[in-house]
């Protein structure tokens, strides 16, 4: 089985000789396989799923929307508009009749994902995973925090930009950021190229490529922007990045 660069899976089929009872004798014949009748998979020839896709926000124009999250504490959504080498973070009302979206941020970077701090309603912290700068080399992935004003009209404060962590990456940049139920921040990363891991980093734990990052952004260590959770698995591993929770990923897209 081979996974292509576009994520498709190809299965190699080989000619397999048919083994009959004449080869081993009647007592050694392969028994017939019983039918599998307990599957819960819905599909042909069974009827289709009862769930259907329904268009919403049909009056709202979003440019190549990539990501959408409900904004805690407010009846609105935040969305990422994914454009060539740049992005927009926008907000719109949770109303099927909505026609306008508000631009919160338009960085000179590509934007992959957005997540809200568990206490966002109080502190206004929003975390982004981005890559850039656009049109420059080298490019870096960043975990960056912004603050959205707690007072109306709840604008994103551009001067509040606070870079938590960054690492060089240009290609397979991963694509998610999220808080786990443990209150820690998780971020999957790719191999940082546009090919099949030419840097040979997928099986290494000495950099932040091809890994799942797990960090504590609420209790930063002295002089740092975050802390390493004490139960991360590579803390005592010589030469390893202690930020790593798991490794061996080519380009994990979402969690």
């Amino acid at each position: 089985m081979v996974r292509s660069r576009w994520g498709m899976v190809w299965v190699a089929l080989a000619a397999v000789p048919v083994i009959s009872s004449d080869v081993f004798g009647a007592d050694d014949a392969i028994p017939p396989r019983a039918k599998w009748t307990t599957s819960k998979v819905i599909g042909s020839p069974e009827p289709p799923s009862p769930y259907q896709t329904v268009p919403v926000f049909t009056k709202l124009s979003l440019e190549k929307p990539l990501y959408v999250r409900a904004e805690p504490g407010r009846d609105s959504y935040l969305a990422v508009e994914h454009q060539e080498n740049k992005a927009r973070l926008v907000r719109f009302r949770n109303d099927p009749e909505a026609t306008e979206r508000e631009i919160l941020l338009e960085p000179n970077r590509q934007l992959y994902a957005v997540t809200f701090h568990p206490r966002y309603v109080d502190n206004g912290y929003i975390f982004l995973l981005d890559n850039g700068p656009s049109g420059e080399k080298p490019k870096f992935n960043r975990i960056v925090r912004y603050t959205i004003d707690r007072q109306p009209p709840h604008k994103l404060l551009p001067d509040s930009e606070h870079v938590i962590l960054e690492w060089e990456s240009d290609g397979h940049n991963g694509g998610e950021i999220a808080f786990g139920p443990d209150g820690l921040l998780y971020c999957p990363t790719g191999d940082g190229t546009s090919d099949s891991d030419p840097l040979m980093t997928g099986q290494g734990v000495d950099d932040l490529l091809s890994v799942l990052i797990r960090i504590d952004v609420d209790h930063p260590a002295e002089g740092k922007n975050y802390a390493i959770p004490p139960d991360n698995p590579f803390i005592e591993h010589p030469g390893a990045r202690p930020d790593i929770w798991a490794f061996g990923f080519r380009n994990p897209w979402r969690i």
Side-chain angles (χ1 to χ4, degrees):
M1 183 171 67
V2 179
R3 183 175 298 276
S4 78
R5 64 182 296 180
W6 296 280
M8 300 174 65
V9 175
W10 301 84
V11 179
L13 301 178
V16 180
V18 177
I19 301 175
S20 70
S21 60
D22 296 335
V23 177
F24 299 107
D27 293 338
D28 299 319
I30 299 175
R33 186 171 61 183
K35 291 185 177 180
W36 184 18
T37 59
T38 58
S39 172
K40 301 299 182 182
V41 176
I42 296 177
S44 178
E46 290 81 10
S49 168
Y51 298 102
Q52 297 180 352
T53 57
V54 178
V56 293
F57 305 108
T58 56
K59 299 180 181 180
L60 183 68
S61 178
L62 295 176
E63 185 174 348
K64 296 181 181 179
L66 177 75
Y67 200 86
V68 61
R69 293 289 299 269
E71 185 176 5
R74 304 187 69 232
D75 197 20
S76 59
Y77 286 98
L78 266 60
V80 171
E81 293 185 343
H82 189 87
Q83 305 166 66
E84 189 66 27
N85 293 322
K86 59 180 181 178
R88 288 193 189 104
L89 179 65
V90 303
R91 175 196 282 145
F92 58 92
R93 292 184 297 110
N94 181 17
D95 180 356
E97 299 298 314
T99 59
E100 302 291 336
R101 89 274 197 269
E102 170 194 5
I103 297 177
L104 296 178
L105 185 66
E106 198 168 13
N108 184 34
R109 305 179 70 88
Q110 193 51 271
L111 181 57
Y112 289 108
V114 179
T115 195
F116 300 95
H117 190 275
R119 297 190 300 277
Y120 170 78
V121 173
D122 298 320
N123 60 31
Y125 288 166
I126 183 172
F127 292 78
L128 313 179
L129 173 63
D130 66 22
N131 178 265
S134 299
E136 297 184 17
K137 298 285 186 177
K139 290 186 177 180
F140 293 85
N141 268 10
R142 302 190 312 173
I143 297 174
V144 58
R145 187 190 76 199
Y146 287 91
T147 300
I148 291 185
D149 196 352
R150 297 298 78 203
Q151 301 300 318
H154 303 289
K155 296 287 188 179
L156 184 145
L157 305 174
D159 292 341
S160 66
E161 180 184 79
H162 178 61
V163 178
I164 304 294
L165 179 60
E166 66 178 358
W167 61 98
E168 188 171 344
S169 182
D170 185 11
H172 294 154
N173 299 318
E176 184 61 287
I177 187 171
F179 282 92
D182 53 9
L184 300 174
L185 190 63
Y186 291 78
C187 177
T189 76
D191 61 35
T193 75
S194 296
D195 208 325
S196 298
D197 195 15
L199 301 178
M200 302 294 287
T201 187
Q203 295 301 309
V205 291
D206 56 346
D207 59 37
L208 293 182
L209 297 173
S210 296
V211 303
L212 178 61
I213 295 170
R214 180 182 187 246
I215 56 176
D216 182 350
V217 296
D218 284 332
H219 309 92
E222 185 175 356
K224 304 290 184 180
N225 294 327
Y226 63 93
I228 303 298
D231 57 343
N232 271 14
F234 298 104
I235 291 179
E236 303 298 333
H237 193 289
R241 288 290 303 246
D243 331 52
I244 296 174
W245 179 248
F247 71 100
F249 306 103
R250 181 170 182 264
N251 190 31
W253 180 247
R254 307 308 182 209
I255 295 179

